[in-house]
Amino acid sequence: MDKLDIAILEALQADGRLPNAALAEKVGLSQSACSRRLDILEKSGMIRGYHARLSNAALGYRTTAIVHISLSGQFEKSLAEFEAAIRRCPNVLSCHLMSGEYDYILRIAVKDLQDYERIHKEWLSAMPHVTKINSSFALREVIDRTTVGMKPETT
């Protein structure tokens, strides 16, 4: 990845709907060269996809729950079964396997406390191998980045 690739990625992070012609002009490449680089970035997995960024609050999900989950053990089968089940829960925005005290941390969009109670009963408590659920609720969102700052590699 060089400076041009980084420029392409930064431009797309700012505006994922940027047409190839505008992107090429912005980074100082021909349209065909820009298209080739973009194809390589997509195929390499550096660009995982394009999407619209929605407002959970505007959609009625005004609360974010941060949930710590402990499993009965970190056996490969237990992890795989839990991860397959958690993928089916539509309110889970992110799920991370963790080191430390808890096995997973989830970020869940909920309408209100009653909605979280429903999710807790219908989904979280029913997940395989779950032994402990610890929930906290965000009071205010301070940062929710979808971009990452990049620096070119120095070799």
Side-chain angles (χ1 to χ4, degrees), residues 90-104:
N91 293 73
V92 174
L93 301 174
S94 65
C95 174
H96 302 272
L97 176 62
M98 303 300 292
S99 64
E101 182 178 354
Y102 295 97
D103 296 309
Y104 290 92

Side-chain angles (χ1 to χ4, degrees), residues 27-67:
V27 300
L29 289 171
S30 69
Q31 290 184 37
S32 59
C34 184
S35 182
R36 280 192 302 274
R37 282 179 176 262
L38 191 54
D39 189 50
I40 291 167
L41 291 168
E42 290 169 350
K43 286 179 180 171
S44 73
M46 284 191 208
I47 297 175
R48 293 184 0 194
Y50 302 88
H51 67 276
R53 186 172 164 107
L54 306 178
S55 166
N56 290 335
L59 293 169
Y61 297 94
R62 293 178 170 24
T63 302
T64 299
I66 305 299
V67 181

Side-chain angles (χ1 to χ4, degrees), residues 81-82 85-89 122-130:
E81 289 173 354
F82 173 82
I86 202 68
R87 283 185 183 97
R88 292 190 293 273
C89 183
E122 294 176 10
W123 289 96
L124 302 178
S125 296
M127 294 285 160
H129 312 288
V130 170

Side-chain angles (χ1 to χ4, degrees), residues 108-127:
I108 302 176
V110 299
K111 293 178 181 186
D112 51 32
L113 291 178
Q114 291 75 25
D115 190 35
Y116 178 73
E117 181 181 13
R118 177 191 61 79
I119 293 165
H120 189 283
K121 285 179 185 177
E122 294 176 10
W123 289 96
L124 302 178
S125 296
M127 294 285 160

